[in-house]
Amino acid sequence: MRKVENGSLMSFKPSSGSVYPMLKKLVSEGLLIKRNDGKYELTEIGHETNNRIVGSISQNALTEPIDRSAIAIETALNEIDSYLSFLEDIKKEKLIIHEKRLENFMERLQNMKKSI
């Protein structure tokens, strides 16, 4: 999907590392069911939740400006969470060769936490 916003070309393509953990979470929360044909469908609770979210977005869109930086931060954190879920499912022996890089990520996150 491509969209021009403020003169910029943006693209968004979710990765399987973010989509499948999210689908699994939505199924475990009872918001989706996985059908026999492999497709997903909203449950009744899923429909109600969706209507509440869409309704609140619609109401806020009329009265409050959209905080795009907050949305971008939330999106980035959701992506990180999804990738962590993916990495947690990988056998440790496959991750050991990436130990230094993982340590670097942890150090960077700790530095970010100290700065807030």
Side-chain angles (χ1 to χ4, degrees):
M1 172 187 327
R2 296 216 180 258
K3 176 181 174 184
V4 176
E5 186 174 304
N6 298 332
S8 300
L9 187 61
M10 300 175 66
S11 67
F12 173 74
K13 181 180 178 189
S15 67
S16 58
S18 64
V19 171
Y20 290 107
M22 183 57 67
L23 288 172
K24 183 178 177 182
K25 181 178 179 185
L26 293 171
V27 168
S28 73
E29 292 177 358
L31 300 172
L32 288 179
I33 57 168
K34 187 173 182 181
R35 301 185 327 202
N36 290 335
D37 63 3
K39 295 181 181 179
Y40 292 85
E41 183 177 322
L42 282 171
T43 62
E44 185 175 329
I45 295 170
H47 279 290
E48 291 170 5
T49 302
N50 181 59
N51 290 338
R52 278 197 312 269
I53 292 169
V54 171
S56 69
I57 290 171
S58 298
Q59 289 172 0
N60 289 340
L62 298 174
T63 60
E64 299 176 20
I66 295 173
D67 183 354
R68 294 190 192 287
S69 65
I71 294 170
I73 291 167
E74 188 65 29
T75 300
L77 292 172
N78 286 338
E79 282 288 313
I80 291 168
D81 185 51
S82 295
Y83 281 115
L84 284 173
S85 294
F86 170 74
L87 290 171
E88 288 169 338
D89 290 340
I90 294 176
K91 293 179 183 176
K92 288 184 179 185
E93 58 267 13
K94 291 195 175 202
L95 287 176
I96 196 73
I97 62 172
H98 304 286
E99 184 176 12
K100 292 287 185 199
R101 194 164 181 202
L102 292 169
E103 287 173 0
N104 180 265
F105 291 150
M106 289 179 8
E107 183 179 320
R108 289 170 63 191
L109 287 169
Q110 288 170 348
N111 288 336
M112 285 177 60
K113 184 178 178 183
K114 289 177 189 174
S115 71
I116 55 174

